[in-house]
Amino acid sequence: MASVGLLASILVSLLAASSAPTPLYAVYQRHWGFSPITVTIVFGVYAVAVLVSLLAFGKISDHVGRRPVLLTALLGQALAMVAFITADGVNALMAARVIQGLSTGAAVGALGAAMLDIDPRRGGFLNSFAPAVGTATGALVSGLIVQYLPAPTHLVYFLLLGVFVLQALAVLALRETVSRKPGAVASLAPEIKLPTAARASVAIAAPVLFAVWALTGLYAALGPAISRTLEHSDSVVWGGLPLFVLAGFAGLAILVLRRTATHVVMLIGILTLVAGVTISLVSIGSGSGGAPSVAGFFLGAAVSGFGFGSGFQGGIRMVIPQVAPHERAGVLSLLYVVCYLGLGVPAVIGGILVVHGGGLVQTAREYGAAVVVLALVALTGLVLSGRRAERIAVVRFVPTPRSESAAAVHDPCMADVAAHVE
């Protein structure tokens, strides 16, 4: 249990570090005078670095072990914190984000697989819960530090640097969960490869994962500017609050729905995502702000966050039971590729539209509408897959209590369908 807790804490720290710069972008803008496009490019560069790292290093821990990958990734995170501390311009900021993204991408697959190696039940839950906790705490704590404590562009990174050093020392004492096997160098070649057993579930989960992480990109890249515009405030705490609310309610959804059938969790995620984005867009209105607009915007963030947590948890739970232990790191990395594509690409497009399109409010409307469309596409796939599974169940199994129970045990997806029908 202590080992799983350590691994989960590393995942929390990685995601906290990734969201920590969010409230600081306004400070960097004032110091260095860059445009909203630059903000989203800095944000997107991180996502691209994570993607590259996932593709190159996503499977390597299956060959060399989890501990060497985690130690290397934590060293990379420490270097990234030093780069943030010494940054003196946009280029240095981007370099820090690249180092951060590469080390995060290398770590997430190994962390997720290691937690599943030790305790499949708790590991599956923490794979969904820890990123939400990390994202929420990183955004809020960073905003509070920047607003109320000295050295606003340095202190949060010094604190995170200390955390990563301590975690690296703890990993040295961690027991390895897999045995080494040949093929480490060959595994570095980027390859999109799915075990046959997981292909159908990935096809259903991928649109949901892309949609919920695209929503995260909206609140992380544009949320600070939207909240400050509505509140008519320059406080960096307001800049971190949208992402904190979104990720906080994502964590709540994961806790509340952890024993709910996977298909039901996915359905709840999609519907609350659509409802939350709609509430946010209506609240933004003309962008003139005021208390009702601010309250509605954060209510929409909360509802959307519940959808994010549900959709992300459901996607992970739908896929992972279909793969063998030695395939976990690679498949988890592939799922994170989908997530970070959703996180980065729409955010960069949004930044370009803020400057060269219709401005912040209009871009937020267009971005939100695109997320809703993605969610509806995911809903269509989920409904069709449920009907197909039910037809297979009718054809293959005799409708007796014993055979229904056997089918549910044999196939986790069928268990979810059965729970949904009941």
Side-chain angles (χ1 to χ4, degrees):
M1 183 60 186
S3 297
V4 175
L6 169 62
L7 295 167
S9 77
I10 296 172
L11 192 53
V12 168
S13 301
L14 292 174
L15 272 295
S18 74
S19 63
T22 298
L24 278 161
Y25 289 141
V27 178
Y28 293 138
Q29 273 187 290
R30 287 197 297 270
H31 287 178
W32 301 329
F34 52 77
S35 71
I37 293 179
T38 304
V39 173
T40 54
I41 288 176
V42 171
F43 183 82
V45 159
Y46 167 78
V48 170
V50 173
L51 284 172
V52 171
S53 185
L54 285 168
L55 290 170
F57 304 117
K59 297 177 290 184
I60 195 168
S61 76
D62 289 332
H63 298 273
V64 303
R66 315 299 190 203
R67 289 173 67 245
V69 174
L70 293 180
L71 286 170
T72 304
L74 287 168
L75 174 62
Q77 285 290 321
L79 291 175
M81 296 306 104
V82 173
F84 278 119
I85 292 167
T86 59
D88 57 359
V90 174
N91 290 337
L93 186 61
M94 287 189 180
R97 288 295 267 174
V98 168
I99 298 170
Q100 187 181 41
L102 291 173
S103 55
T104 300
V108 290
L111 282 167
M115 286 190 285
L116 291 167
D117 294 339
I118 297 170
D119 189 329
R121 185 177 63 83
R122 287 193 179 94
F125 167 70
L126 290 170
N127 265 305
S128 302
F129 185 64
V133 173
T135 302
T137 55
L140 181 64
V141 172
S142 177
L144 293 172
I145 289 173
V146 172
Q147 185 70 34
Y148 299 111
L149 295 179
T153 59
H154 296 86
L155 182 56
V156 65
Y157 300 124
F158 275 117
L159 293 174
L160 286 166
L161 175 60
V163 169
F164 289 129
V165 170
L166 291 174
Q167 288 175 333
L169 293 174
V171 168
L172 289 173
L174 194 66
R175 180 179 62 84
E176 182 57 74
T177 60
V178 294
S179 56
R180 295 190 175 213
K181 65 177 185 176
V185 174
S187 76
L188 297 178
E191 181 184 24
I192 303 297
K193 185 177 180 181
L194 263 180
T196 303
R199 289 176 184 174
S201 55
V202 168
I204 299 165
V208 180
L209 294 174
F210 190 97
V212 298
W213 282 77
L215 175 73
T216 306
L218 169 64
Y219 282 94
L222 302 182
I226 294 170
S227 65
R228 287 195 300 268
T229 298
L230 296 178
E231 180 60 23
H232 306 298
S233 170
D234 292 329
S235 170
V236 295
V237 176
W238 283 104
L241 275 178
L243 189 57
F244 168 75
V245 172
L246 179 86
F249 275 84
L252 177 63
I254 292 166
L255 278 173
V256 171
L257 300 174
R258 64 188 184 279
R259 292 187 176 89
T260 305
T262 300
H263 274 68
V264 177
V265 172
M266 295 277 276
L267 183 62
I268 291 171
I270 293 169
L271 294 178
T272 51
L273 181 70
V274 172
V277 172
T278 302
I279 292 169
S280 292
L281 295 183
V282 171
S283 301
I284 292 170
S286 63
S288 58
S293 293
V294 173
F297 177 68
F298 283 102
L299 173 62
V303 177
S304 300
F306 201 89
F308 168 49
S310 307
F312 182 54
Q313 175 182 209
I316 297 292
R317 282 170 48 185
M318 179 170 282
V319 174
I320 293 304
Q322 313 299 322
V323 300
H326 69 278
E327 299 167 330
R328 285 171 180 164
V331 173
L332 273 171
S333 297
L334 177 60
L335 294 180
Y336 274 109
V337 166
V338 174
C339 294
Y340 278 93
L341 279 172
L343 181 71
V345 174
V348 173
I349 294 172
I352 294 171
L353 292 176
V354 168
V355 176
H356 298 295
L360 179 63
V361 174
Q362 182 60 30
T363 298
R365 290 198 193 102
E366 293 168 354
Y367 196 134
V371 170
V372 169
V373 170
L374 283 171
L376 293 176
V377 170
L379 177 62
T380 302
L382 184 65
V383 170
L384 291 176
S385 71
R387 289 176 179 173
R388 185 162 55 248
E390 289 173 1
R391 286 199 300 270
I392 292 172
V394 170
V395 170
R396 288 186 178 177
F397 300 103
V398 178
T400 64
R402 182 173 181 177
S403 64
E404 287 170 2
S405 175
V409 171
H410 176 71
D411 187 343
C413 287
M414 288 305 305
D416 293 332
V417 173
H420 177 58
V421 171
E422 290 169 2

